[in-house]
Amino acid sequence: MIGAGAGGGPQPEASDACLPWPLEELADAVETAAARSGEAVLVVPDGTRLRVLATDGGAAVAACAQFAAECPAESFEGAGPGRPPRPGPGSAPPSGADPALAVGVSAPAGLAAVSIAFKQADQALSVARRRGVPVVEHEDVAAGSVLPLLADDAVRAFADGLLRALREHDAHGRGDLVASLRAWLSRHGQWDAAAAELGVHRHTLRYRMRRVEEILGRSLDDPDVRMELWLALKATS
């Protein structure tokens, strides 16, 4: 399953008969490639998105990836009624422009798992848009790291809010709770190892972690709390 969406910010509403220009041309490219290779393909317009059910590793999938890779190199000039601007031949791309097309590809799936493939393609499409790249495969997302996703403004705002009280505490010179928490979490709660890294006695570190719990109103015995605090530290580092 392939999910494709017109990039470059908000798009006007489009009917099935009036797709944004990247999706209209992408649909033609995919259907043409499938016809030439004798593959079965299902192309379903969905407003400013396009859903494609195609043979894994086939010509239709290859055509989709190639079209998406070439699409960001073109810029926009003029617009048809109800459509976003079309690319102008030979013109330069706008400075800092987002890809004109984003594509998300699911993992290979049988017909019984189409609903799962649909969700995977949608998730990969969201990641492609977030990263500003033309194509993302769901398998690559799963094999990667979650850390790049922490760059999201909403995640950083959550992290800043979660750690604000600790940073305010440290700003008054009453102990380095943020650094101590980071060392303790990175050492998986091993008191001696974390204390040695900080150059303090383990009893001092235990006191600091109790202060962290008191200030945040959360227990460090809770694995969900430890996970949230670690991600907050990574997002704001």
Side-chain angles (χ1 to χ4, degrees):
M1 173 72 72
I2 299 172
Q11 299 290 339
E13 291 297 325
S15 68
D16 290 356
C18 185
L19 284 169
W21 74 261
L23 300 185
E24 182 181 21
E25 296 184 16
L26 173 61
D28 289 342
V30 168
E31 290 175 337
T32 298
R36 287 176 177 173
S37 63
E39 297 174 6
V41 66
L42 177 63
V43 179
V44 182
D46 181 14
T48 56
R49 293 189 177 190
L50 195 70
R51 308 295 182 185
V52 180
L53 188 62
T55 303
D56 178 49
V61 175
C64 185
Q66 181 179 355
F67 184 92
E70 294 174 351
C71 196
E74 298 178 322
S75 63
F76 307 102
E77 69 172 22
R83 299 176 186 268
R86 288 181 176 271
S91 55
S95 176
D98 292 330
L101 182 73
V103 173
V105 184
S106 75
L111 291 177
V114 167
S115 61
I116 296 175
F118 181 91
K119 180 181 293 186
Q120 290 179 346
D122 219 30
Q123 291 170 340
L125 174 59
S126 296
V127 174
R129 282 175 162 167
R130 184 186 301 272
R131 293 178 180 175
V133 297
V135 182
V136 167
E137 296 189 16
H138 191 268
E139 290 178 317
D140 293 337
V141 174
S145 171
V146 72
L147 296 182
L149 303 180
L150 301 183
D152 183 84
D153 288 340
V155 175
R156 283 198 297 264
F158 169 82
D160 287 336
L162 182 58
L163 299 174
R164 182 180 299 115
L166 299 182
R167 297 192 188 282
E168 290 175 353
H169 176 281
D170 291 349
H172 290 85
R174 293 178 294 173
D176 199 349
L177 298 187
V178 173
S180 299
L181 177 63
R182 181 182 291 108
W184 185 76
L185 291 173
S186 69
R187 296 290 183 170
H188 311 291
Q190 298 177 14
W191 297 104
D192 289 340
E197 178 180 328
L198 294 166
V200 300
H201 196 278
R202 66 178 179 274
H203 294 318
T204 300
L205 180 59
R206 287 182 182 273
Y207 169 77
R208 290 180 180 178
M209 293 303 97
R210 285 197 299 271
R211 288 293 293 137
V212 168
E213 291 180 318
E214 292 169 1
I215 291 171
L216 296 180
R218 301 187 179 201
S219 172
L220 293 177
D221 290 333
D222 188 333
D224 289 340
V225 171
R226 295 196 301 271
M227 176 193 67
E228 288 183 356
L229 288 170
W230 180 247
L231 291 178
L233 289 167
K234 298 297 287 186
T236 58
S237 63

